[in-house]
Amino acid sequence: DDDGKMHTFYRPKRRASSAGPNNSRRTPHNGPHGEGTEKDGNNKSAGADSTALHENPSFAQLPQNLKGIGKEIHKLTTEDLLYISAMVGRKAHREAYSILQYSGSAWYLPNIRKVHEGEPEWELRYLWGTGLIITLAGKRMEIQLLSYFIRICFLVLIWFIFRNAIPQYLSEPAGYIWDPVVTLLVCALVGGFICRILQIPPLVGCLWIGILWNNIHEVGFLTRGIYKDVRTISSRLGITVVLLRAGFSVNWQTVRPVLKNVVALVVSAFGFESMIHGFFCNYMFDYNDYKWAFLQGCLCSAPSAAVVVPGSLMLQAEGYSKTKGPLPIMLASVGVETVVSVWVVSFILDFQFGTLSIGLSAALGPIQIVGGVVLGVILAFVLHLFVVLMRYEAKRLPTGKYSDNHLDNVRRNTLIGMLLLSHATVFYGYKENLAGGAAVSVMVLAFTASNFWMRGNDPEWVDHKKAVGSGLSDVWDLFVMPFLFSMTGSKVVASKIFNSTFFPKALACWVVSNAARMLAISYTPFGLNFSWKERLFITIGYCAKATVQSALASAALDKVTAKIAASPAGLTADLIRDRNRATDVQNMAIFYVMWSAPIVAIFVTKMGPRLLNRE
């Protein structure tokens, strides 16, 4: 069992033997009298064991075809059972657990699966014991209304505890705890449910519902208790986990054969789009300042791993483009381009708002890269040493392996240690205006640790790497993603986006920059003999925008706000101009998420099977 206990029907029995105490199996005695004595003893013991075995309820519940195995297990030693447990575990993970249907990954998402044979493609009904059933285009959602009600009761109970434990003004509407928590819950539950129905990434729903929540009745009516530092923290939490996942997803053994293709895709897509966007938005928004224009261009040009990766992995699980075609290149490139874009945006922000000269700022860029790489490698070594020391806290079993409980604890602590090191680096980097170097170090930390654990294909270390990567995904899905996108949406003033002045300019920039990106991708010399269908897929499927835009959308506005607060002259004309520019940059980044993420996500999932080759 998971708790380490064994059922009675196969609990090993210790038997004395003439071979000595170290031998747990029975050894026949030599000599005529010894043989007869042991035979009689064995018959009695076997009869008693058989009677006890058949009377055991656990044995009686076994299927008939497994009762023979149950009888044999009853005779095994503890060491034998350990070997069999390891073998059965590997067999189950390889042939049973691996084929289980995906049914949702987060607390705010209802279960979803493909319809089974005989089930309708479209359905809406309620079944007692199953819940509300919604089936759309062959995807069946089962929503346990009673389960949701129980969770709501828990939330009410938690609120009641907080209301009696902390000052009342914090736990009521417009309070510094009430508004962020309620906004997070509403965005996650409502947005996640809508996105499940539409079959698009839940981050889109969290953002859209956050925008609506902030603009109900009047701007900020339901979100005025969300202090600006909470949104800043959500952005930095988000960018840290984005960088960790980006670095962790880059497998050097996979990237090395297509390295030139990855470099070509990153340089052509990000470079061409950011350049075209920068020149075009400088004209459309009347920036008359290329630092602001290219800040917006680089921010809006970064692809989103949160949109590209899930859809690509789903297609590969169905047999499409597993080792050939566009998906391996897209999966390898999206992490690299994410890190490049974060560093470039951070560098422009430091260049724009720093107090250093142009020459010194330009010189510090390469220094931050080199320093970030060195720091990232050192942190990865420290993390690995931490893991090794934790593994030595327990001894190996007779099978030569550590217990599953011990390995699970080590993996959990590894994830915690990686998150602490990364967040400490990012927050300190922002404090000291070294955000670009901090971003590089976090990515290198994740990349180095991940590939170091994969070296030699040691099964224990490979499993360790997979478990930590899965933990990072859970951290993103369960908390960081809904927190980041709900807080991002809650600061958007809808009237500043959906108006006759901003909206046409934003739409024009969105069309022109995406056209530039698709043009650059379509003419990138991959050298892999892609068909026109595969080129069409990578041209559109690699245009998703979400994570970097949401995490860094308010970075410029935060810096301008800080300058205004520190200005002895108050709100000057230059600061008003910079605040308007920073607001346009923020709204433009959010505009990209609002449209690019759902369009590309639907394209990847719906058109992938039609455009990619099944292997």
Side-chain angles (χ1 to χ4, degrees):
D1 283 347
D2 292 336
D3 59 1
K5 298 179 181 178
M6 291 180 286
H7 287 299
T8 305
F9 73 83
Y10 66 82
R11 182 176 292 121
K13 297 181 179 297
R14 297 186 180 273
R15 298 179 174 89
S17 70
S18 62
N22 294 330
N23 188 353
S24 59
R25 294 183 181 275
R26 286 176 296 183
T27 306
H29 293 285
N30 293 326
H33 298 289
E35 291 176 359
T37 302
E38 177 166 334
K39 183 176 180 181
D40 294 341
N42 286 347
N43 287 338
K44 293 178 181 179
S45 176
D49 287 351
S50 177
T51 302
L53 189 65
H54 284 281
E55 291 176 354
N56 191 296
S58 299
F59 182 82
Q61 293 174 2
L62 280 176
Q64 190 63 36
N65 62 320
L66 296 181
K67 289 189 175 181
I69 298 176
K71 293 178 181 179
E72 295 300 320
I73 289 178
H74 180 68
K75 305 174 184 177
L76 299 179
T77 65
T78 301
E79 186 174 344
D80 295 335
L81 289 171
L82 289 173
Y83 278 109
I84 290 177
S85 174
M87 182 181 67
V88 171
R90 290 193 299 269
K91 185 79 170 177
H93 278 283
R94 184 170 62 248
E95 298 187 10
Y97 303 150
S98 60
I99 63 174
L100 295 177
Q101 291 275 356
Y102 170 78
S103 61
S105 61
W107 54 270
Y108 51 87
L109 298 177
N111 292 335
I112 186 170
R113 62 170 174 83
K114 292 182 179 180
V115 296
H116 296 153
E117 185 177 355
E119 292 180 339
E121 295 281 322
W122 301 84
E123 185 182 20
L124 175 62
R125 61 171 174 157
Y126 181 84
L127 287 179
W128 180 258
T130 301
L132 180 65
I133 299 174
I134 303 176
T135 306
L136 301 171
K139 296 294 181 68
R140 176 183 171 113
M141 286 186 295
E142 297 178 357
I143 304 172
Q144 292 281 359
L145 298 181
L146 181 59
S147 178
Y148 275 89
F149 175 75
I150 293 173
R151 285 163 172 78
I152 291 173
C153 291
F154 284 163
L155 291 175
V156 172
L157 182 59
I158 293 172
W159 169 80
F160 180 78
I161 294 172
F162 271 98
R163 186 171 179 82
N164 290 277
I166 62 177
Q168 183 173 340
Y169 67 88
L170 295 175
S171 59
E172 61 185 10
Y176 291 154
I177 293 179
W178 173 276
D179 278 10
V181 171
V182 171
T183 300
L184 170 63
L185 293 174
V186 170
C187 293
L189 293 171
V190 179
F193 178 77
I194 294 174
C195 287
R196 265 291 193 249
I197 294 178
L198 300 178
Q199 298 175 25
I200 58 177
L203 58 87
V204 180
C206 290
L207 178 68
W208 272 96
I209 298 300
I211 295 173
L212 293 175
W213 192 251
N214 187 51
N215 291 271
I216 290 178
H217 185 58
E218 63 183 24
V219 175
F221 180 72
L222 298 174
T223 60
R224 60 183 179 270
I226 302 178
Y227 192 56
K228 72 178 186 66
D229 284 350
V230 174
R231 296 189 174 106
T232 301
I233 291 172
S234 73
S235 298
R236 294 177 185 176
L237 287 174
I239 199 61
T240 304
V241 178
V242 166
L243 290 168
L244 279 175
R245 296 188 69 196
F248 220 81
S249 67
V250 180
N251 187 335
W252 178 245
Q253 298 299 325
T254 304
V255 171
R256 186 168 55 180
V258 293
L259 181 60
K260 62 179 182 180
N261 308 105
V262 171
V263 173
L265 181 58
V266 170
V267 171
S268 62
F270 180 75
F272 193 61
E273 182 186 3
S274 60
M275 181 181 66
I276 295 300
H277 187 124
F279 284 115
F280 190 74
C281 75
N282 189 58
Y283 167 75
M284 291 296 296
F285 287 93
D286 296 322
Y287 284 142
N288 296 319
D289 186 335
Y290 281 107
K291 287 182 291 185
W292 281 101
F294 283 107
L295 172 63
Q296 178 177 307
C298 294
L299 176 60
C300 294
S301 300
S304 172
V307 179
V308 173
V309 173
S312 299
L313 293 179
M314 183 195 71
L315 290 172
Q316 286 188 330
E318 295 178 357
Y320 295 100
S321 186
K322 297 180 69 175
T323 58
K324 302 177 182 178
L327 291 185
I329 294 178
M330 290 171 61
L331 290 171
S333 301
V334 68
V336 176
E337 191 172 344
T338 297
V339 176
V340 170
S341 61
V342 170
W343 181 84
V344 172
V345 171
S346 299
F347 174 76
I348 296 176
L349 285 170
D350 292 340
F351 184 68
Q352 174 73 17
F353 295 100
T355 57
L356 301 177
S357 63
I358 296 177
L360 187 56
S361 296
L364 280 177
I367 293 175
Q368 285 195 46
I369 294 177
V370 175
V373 170
V374 173
L375 178 60
V377 172
I378 293 174
L379 292 177
F381 174 77
V382 171
L383 181 66
H384 179 71
L385 181 62
F386 173 66
V387 175
V388 172
L389 293 176
M390 284 194 298
R391 286 162 68 97
Y392 286 155
E393 290 178 353
K395 294 182 178 180
R396 292 182 180 270
L397 300 173
T399 59
K401 299 181 181 297
Y402 290 108
S403 69
D404 290 340
N405 286 340
H406 177 61
L407 290 178
D408 287 342
N409 288 332
V410 172
R411 293 160 183 165
R412 189 181 306 112
N413 290 331
T414 302
L415 175 63
I416 294 173
M418 178 178 284
L419 290 171
L420 291 176
L421 287 172
S422 302
H423 283 96
T425 303
V426 168
F427 278 85
Y428 182 77
Y430 272 97
K431 179 183 178 182
E432 300 297 333
N433 293 322
L434 297 171
V440 173
S441 66
V442 170
M443 182 270 179
V444 172
L445 160 63
F447 170 80
T448 305
S450 170
N451 285 273
F452 190 74
W453 294 332
M454 293 290 288
R455 78 193 193 288
N457 290 323
D458 185 323
E460 280 190 357
W461 285 107
V462 171
D463 290 343
H464 183 83
K465 185 259 183 184
K466 291 180 179 178
V468 175
S470 177
L472 281 175
S473 298
D474 289 339
V475 170
W476 172 259
D477 289 334
L478 299 178
F479 175 69
V480 175
M481 186 277 291
F483 183 46
L484 170 63
F485 282 86
S486 61
M487 293 300 104
T488 300
S490 69
K491 61 190 173 188
V492 174
V493 180
S495 61
K496 292 186 177 181
I497 293 180
F498 299 98
N499 58 58
S500 59
T501 302
F502 179 85
F503 189 85
K505 295 178 181 179
L507 183 60
C509 282
W510 183 80
V511 171
V512 169
S513 65
N514 276 290
R517 184 179 188 85
M518 289 189 284
L519 182 66
I521 296 173
S522 63
Y523 282 97
T524 298
F526 293 107
L528 299 176
N529 297 320
F530 284 173
S531 66
W532 70 268
K533 290 183 178 181
E534 291 174 322
R535 281 189 174 273
L536 177 62
F537 179 85
I538 194 173
T539 296
I540 301 177
Y542 199 60
C543 290
K545 312 292 174 65
T547 44
V548 175
Q549 288 75 21
S550 183
L552 296 179
S554 62
L557 187 57
D558 290 342
K559 288 185 175 292
V560 173
T561 303
K563 285 182 65 177
I564 293 174
S567 174
L571 195 60
T572 63
D574 288 343
L575 290 176
I576 293 174
R577 180 197 60 199
D578 286 348
R579 186 178 62 182
N580 293 335
R581 289 172 172 175
T583 302
D584 285 340
V585 170
Q586 171 186 278
N587 292 338
M588 192 69 216
I590 293 171
F591 185 91
Y592 267 68
V593 182
M594 292 168 62
W595 305 109
S596 296
I599 291 173
V600 174
I602 293 173
F603 173 84
V604 168
T605 55
K606 301 301 181 184
M607 298 303 297
R610 294 178 173 85
L611 299 176
L612 299 177
N613 296 321
R614 189 190 291 268
E615 298 180 12

